[in-house]
Amino acid sequence: NKKDMERVARLKKASLMDEKLREASFDSFQVTKYNARNLKLCRRYAEAFDEMVSKNQGLIFWGSVGTGKSFAAACIANHLLNRGVPVMMTSLVKLLELLQGGEEKESDIIARMNSAKLVIFADLGAERNTDYALEKIYNIIDSRYRSRKPLIVTTNLTLTELKNPQDTAHARIYDRLLELCTPIACTGPSLSLIHISEPTRPRLIS
């Protein structure tokens, strides 16, 4: 048990998750009329994760600031980490800073990231819209696609913005994400998991 706990601690440390999200859990939710369905869906995703891996099934949590997107993703991450599943959760802004810092090669960072069974990228759309940033983000997401492993993304962008990108550089990123991930709408009061729109294409657990 001690060795298992130490391994979980190492996995959490390596995940690059913000400190405030490391204790997020499904049990800490106070279920409301808004969050019950999303909470159930997220729990089922985590509990059926082996099936999600086999289907390369990811999620996009989208909605306004403070609607519980990162918390929802962190609950899935911690559920899996506590069971010894390698998960990396980090913001795309932080990842771009790491790449620009030059302390590690881009190929090494991507290889380390793709060794995780699940990768979670927070705050898509918060990065600078430079050619450099957009190219790196596409490379990161495309490498995940080619690794045949799922990813989860959170974003303040709307589903309409994701489906109608402003230019080709954004279209490459958003098209790839929508191919991999089911969109989940988070709306309403801050820090709540709210109503989920019915997914159209990829299907989740029946």
Side-chain angles (χ1 to χ4, degrees), residues 4-5 7-29 42-43 45-47 49 61 68-90 118-120 152:
D4 286 343
M5 290 175 66
R7 180 167 184 260
V8 169
R10 288 196 301 272
L11 285 171
K12 285 191 174 185
K13 186 176 180 181
S15 75
L16 303 181
M17 190 186 302
D18 288 344
E19 190 70 35
K20 63 182 180 181
L21 295 175
R22 288 183 183 172
E23 301 304 319
S25 71
F26 295 127
D27 293 336
S28 67
F29 272 112
C42 292
R43 191 191 292 272
Y45 181 93
E47 291 175 349
F49 185 64
F61 293 101
K69 302 181 297 293
S70 293
F71 192 84
C75 286
I76 295 173
N78 286 325
H79 179 95
L80 296 173
L81 285 165
N82 288 335
R83 286 155 180 76
V85 178
V87 178
M88 177 180 283
M89 180 174 182
T90 187
L118 176 66
V119 168
I120 300 173
I152 292 174

Side-chain angles (χ1 to χ4, degrees), residues 103-143:
E103 295 179 9
E104 291 185 72
K105 292 181 180 179
E106 179 180 341
S107 58
D108 292 340
I109 293 173
I110 289 177
R112 181 156 53 90
M113 181 183 64
N114 285 341
S115 67
K117 279 202 168 182
L118 176 66
V119 168
I120 300 173
F121 295 131
D123 302 326
L124 174 71
E127 71 283 344
R128 293 181 179 180
N129 283 327
T130 64
D131 291 342
Y132 173 86
L134 294 174
E135 184 64 27
K136 295 303 179 187
I137 289 172
Y138 175 78
N139 289 344
I140 290 165
I141 291 172
D142 186 61
S143 72

Side-chain angles (χ1 to χ4, degrees), residues 155-182:
T155 182
N156 294 335
L157 299 170
T158 67
L159 189 57
T160 298
E161 288 173 319
L162 290 169
K163 289 183 175 180
N164 298 279
Q166 62 195 48
D167 53 40
T168 302
H170 287 87
R172 294 173 73 211
I173 296 169
Y174 300 167
D175 288 351
R176 183 65 88 211
L177 283 176
L178 291 171
E179 183 178 353
L180 291 169
C181 303
T182 295

